Short mmCIF file of all heavy atoms in Angstrom, two decimals:
data_model
loop_
_atom_site.label_atom_id
_atom_site.label_comp_id
_atom_site.label_asym_id
_atom_site.label_seq_id
_atom_site.Cartn_x
_atom_site.Cartn_y
_atom_site.Cartn_z
N LYS V 1 -2.82 -23.71 -4.23
CA LYS V 1 -4.22 -23.29 -4.10
C LYS V 1 -4.37 -21.84 -4.58
O LYS V 1 -3.38 -21.15 -4.83
CB LYS V 1 -4.66 -23.37 -2.63
CG LYS V 1 -4.78 -24.74 -2.04
CD LYS V 1 -5.33 -24.65 -0.58
CE LYS V 1 -5.56 -26.01 -0.04
NZ LYS V 1 -6.13 -25.91 1.38
N ALA V 2 -5.62 -21.40 -4.68
CA ALA V 2 -5.82 -20.00 -4.96
C ALA V 2 -5.49 -19.17 -3.75
O ALA V 2 -5.73 -19.60 -2.62
CB ALA V 2 -7.30 -19.76 -5.33
N PRO V 3 -4.89 -17.97 -3.91
CA PRO V 3 -4.53 -17.17 -2.75
C PRO V 3 -5.76 -16.75 -1.93
O PRO V 3 -6.84 -16.52 -2.47
CB PRO V 3 -3.88 -15.93 -3.37
CG PRO V 3 -3.48 -16.37 -4.74
CD PRO V 3 -4.54 -17.37 -5.17
N VAL V 4 -5.60 -16.67 -0.61
CA VAL V 4 -6.70 -16.22 0.24
C VAL V 4 -6.80 -14.67 0.15
O VAL V 4 -7.76 -14.15 0.58
CB VAL V 4 -6.47 -16.62 1.71
CG1 VAL V 4 -6.55 -18.14 1.88
CG2 VAL V 4 -5.13 -16.09 2.26
N GLN V 5 -5.81 -14.07 -0.36
CA GLN V 5 -5.84 -12.61 -0.54
C GLN V 5 -5.08 -12.25 -1.82
O GLN V 5 -3.85 -12.54 -1.97
CB GLN V 5 -5.10 -11.92 0.67
CG GLN V 5 -5.11 -10.40 0.59
CD GLN V 5 -4.39 -9.75 1.81
OE1 GLN V 5 -3.57 -10.40 2.44
NE2 GLN V 5 -4.75 -8.52 2.10
N THR V 6 -5.77 -11.63 -2.73
CA THR V 6 -5.18 -11.22 -4.00
C THR V 6 -5.23 -9.68 -4.08
O THR V 6 -6.31 -9.10 -3.96
CB THR V 6 -5.95 -11.80 -5.18
OG1 THR V 6 -5.92 -13.24 -5.11
CG2 THR V 6 -5.29 -11.40 -6.51
N PRO V 7 -4.10 -9.03 -4.27
CA PRO V 7 -4.08 -7.57 -4.25
C PRO V 7 -4.68 -7.00 -5.49
O PRO V 7 -4.63 -7.60 -6.57
CB PRO V 7 -2.56 -7.25 -4.11
CG PRO V 7 -1.91 -8.39 -4.79
CD PRO V 7 -2.75 -9.63 -4.43
N ASP V 8 -5.23 -5.79 -5.34
CA ASP V 8 -5.67 -5.04 -6.49
C ASP V 8 -4.97 -3.70 -6.55
O ASP V 8 -4.09 -3.42 -5.74
CB ASP V 8 -7.22 -4.86 -6.50
CG ASP V 8 -7.68 -4.16 -5.20
OD1 ASP V 8 -6.89 -3.50 -4.54
OD2 ASP V 8 -8.87 -4.35 -4.84
N GLU V 9 -5.38 -2.84 -7.48
CA GLU V 9 -4.67 -1.62 -7.67
C GLU V 9 -4.76 -0.69 -6.46
O GLU V 9 -3.86 0.06 -6.17
CB GLU V 9 -5.33 -0.90 -8.91
CG GLU V 9 -4.57 0.34 -9.35
CD GLU V 9 -5.16 0.93 -10.64
OE1 GLU V 9 -6.07 0.26 -11.20
OE2 GLU V 9 -4.69 2.02 -11.05
N SER V 10 -5.85 -0.79 -5.70
CA SER V 10 -6.04 0.07 -4.49
C SER V 10 -4.97 -0.18 -3.48
O SER V 10 -4.57 0.75 -2.78
CB SER V 10 -7.44 -0.11 -3.97
OG SER V 10 -7.61 -1.42 -3.42
N VAL V 11 -4.55 -1.43 -3.30
CA VAL V 11 -3.57 -1.74 -2.29
C VAL V 11 -2.27 -1.02 -2.54
O VAL V 11 -1.66 -0.38 -1.65
CB VAL V 11 -3.33 -3.22 -2.17
CG1 VAL V 11 -2.24 -3.53 -1.14
CG2 VAL V 11 -4.61 -3.95 -1.76
N GLY V 12 -1.79 -1.08 -3.81
CA GLY V 12 -0.57 -0.35 -4.16
C GLY V 12 -0.67 1.13 -3.92
O GLY V 12 0.31 1.73 -3.43
N ALA V 13 -1.82 1.72 -4.26
CA ALA V 13 -2.00 3.13 -4.06
C ALA V 13 -1.98 3.47 -2.58
O ALA V 13 -1.34 4.47 -2.19
CB ALA V 13 -3.33 3.61 -4.66
N GLU V 14 -2.63 2.65 -1.77
CA GLU V 14 -2.66 2.89 -0.34
C GLU V 14 -1.26 2.79 0.26
O GLU V 14 -0.82 3.65 1.08
CB GLU V 14 -3.56 1.85 0.38
CG GLU V 14 -5.02 2.02 0.12
CD GLU V 14 -5.83 0.86 0.65
OE1 GLU V 14 -5.27 0.10 1.48
OE2 GLU V 14 -7.01 0.67 0.23
N LEU V 15 -0.51 1.76 -0.09
CA LEU V 15 0.86 1.57 0.41
C LEU V 15 1.76 2.68 -0.04
O LEU V 15 2.61 3.16 0.73
CB LEU V 15 1.38 0.21 0.01
CG LEU V 15 0.68 -1.00 0.63
CD1 LEU V 15 1.22 -2.30 0.04
CD2 LEU V 15 0.82 -1.01 2.16
N SER V 16 1.63 3.12 -1.30
CA SER V 16 2.49 4.23 -1.78
C SER V 16 2.22 5.51 -1.01
O SER V 16 3.16 6.24 -0.69
CB SER V 16 2.22 4.45 -3.29
OG SER V 16 2.62 3.35 -4.05
N LEU V 17 0.94 5.73 -0.72
CA LEU V 17 0.59 6.94 0.02
C LEU V 17 1.15 6.85 1.45
O LEU V 17 1.68 7.86 1.96
CB LEU V 17 -0.94 7.09 0.09
CG LEU V 17 -1.45 8.43 0.63
CD1 LEU V 17 -0.98 9.61 -0.27
CD2 LEU V 17 -2.99 8.44 0.67
N CYS V 18 1.04 5.68 2.08
CA CYS V 18 1.61 5.51 3.42
C CYS V 18 3.07 5.74 3.42
O CYS V 18 3.66 6.43 4.28
CB CYS V 18 1.33 4.06 3.91
SG CYS V 18 -0.35 3.77 4.53
N ARG V 19 3.77 5.15 2.41
CA ARG V 19 5.21 5.33 2.33
C ARG V 19 5.60 6.80 2.18
O ARG V 19 6.58 7.28 2.77
CB ARG V 19 5.76 4.51 1.16
CG ARG V 19 7.28 4.49 1.02
CD ARG V 19 7.75 3.50 -0.01
NE ARG V 19 7.28 3.82 -1.34
CZ ARG V 19 7.57 3.12 -2.44
NH1 ARG V 19 8.28 2.03 -2.36
NH2 ARG V 19 7.09 3.45 -3.63
N ARG V 20 4.81 7.51 1.40
CA ARG V 20 5.06 8.94 1.17
C ARG V 20 4.96 9.73 2.51
O ARG V 20 5.81 10.54 2.85
CB ARG V 20 4.09 9.50 0.13
CG ARG V 20 4.27 10.97 -0.08
CD ARG V 20 3.28 11.46 -1.13
NE ARG V 20 3.30 12.98 -1.17
CZ ARG V 20 2.20 13.71 -1.20
NH1 ARG V 20 1.03 13.16 -1.19
NH2 ARG V 20 2.31 15.00 -1.27
N TYR V 21 3.90 9.47 3.24
CA TYR V 21 3.71 10.21 4.49
C TYR V 21 4.72 9.80 5.53
O TYR V 21 5.18 10.66 6.31
CB TYR V 21 2.28 9.98 5.04
CG TYR V 21 1.24 10.86 4.37
CD1 TYR V 21 0.23 10.29 3.58
CD2 TYR V 21 1.30 12.23 4.47
CE1 TYR V 21 -0.71 11.08 2.95
CE2 TYR V 21 0.34 13.03 3.87
CZ TYR V 21 -0.63 12.49 3.10
OH TYR V 21 -1.60 13.23 2.45
N HIS V 22 5.12 8.55 5.55
CA HIS V 22 6.19 8.13 6.49
C HIS V 22 7.49 8.83 6.11
O HIS V 22 8.21 9.24 7.06
CB HIS V 22 6.35 6.61 6.44
CG HIS V 22 5.19 5.89 7.02
ND1 HIS V 22 5.24 4.55 7.32
CD2 HIS V 22 3.93 6.27 7.37
CE1 HIS V 22 4.06 4.14 7.82
NE2 HIS V 22 3.27 5.22 7.83
N GLY V 23 7.83 8.90 4.88
CA GLY V 23 9.03 9.57 4.49
C GLY V 23 9.01 11.08 4.87
O GLY V 23 9.99 11.59 5.31
N MET V 24 7.86 11.71 4.68
CA MET V 24 7.71 13.15 5.07
C MET V 24 7.91 13.25 6.57
O MET V 24 8.61 14.21 7.03
CB MET V 24 6.38 13.63 4.64
CG MET V 24 6.18 13.81 3.15
SD MET V 24 4.46 14.11 2.66
CE MET V 24 4.06 15.54 3.60
N ALA V 25 7.35 12.36 7.32
CA ALA V 25 7.43 12.42 8.83
C ALA V 25 8.91 12.26 9.22
O ALA V 25 9.39 13.01 10.09
CB ALA V 25 6.56 11.37 9.43
N GLU V 26 9.58 11.33 8.65
CA GLU V 26 11.01 11.11 9.00
C GLU V 26 11.83 12.39 8.69
O GLU V 26 12.65 12.80 9.53
CB GLU V 26 11.58 9.91 8.24
CG GLU V 26 13.02 9.60 8.59
CD GLU V 26 13.57 8.43 7.85
OE1 GLU V 26 12.87 7.88 7.01
OE2 GLU V 26 14.72 8.05 8.13
#
């Protein structure tokens, strides 16, 4: 079937930013 959720460019940017802040916090 067609996916119920298809990612776009914004998702990757959001996740990359989260990963960056998490790394800084650690």
Side-chain angles (χ1 to χ4, degrees):
K1 292 184 176 181
V4 295
Q5 181 181 22
T6 302
D8 57 23
E9 189 174 354
S10 65
V11 177
E14 290 171 17
L15 293 175
S16 295
L17 191 62
C18 283
R19 185 170 63 179
R20 178 180 170 225
Y21 280 115
H22 290 194
M24 290 168 56
E26 182 180 4

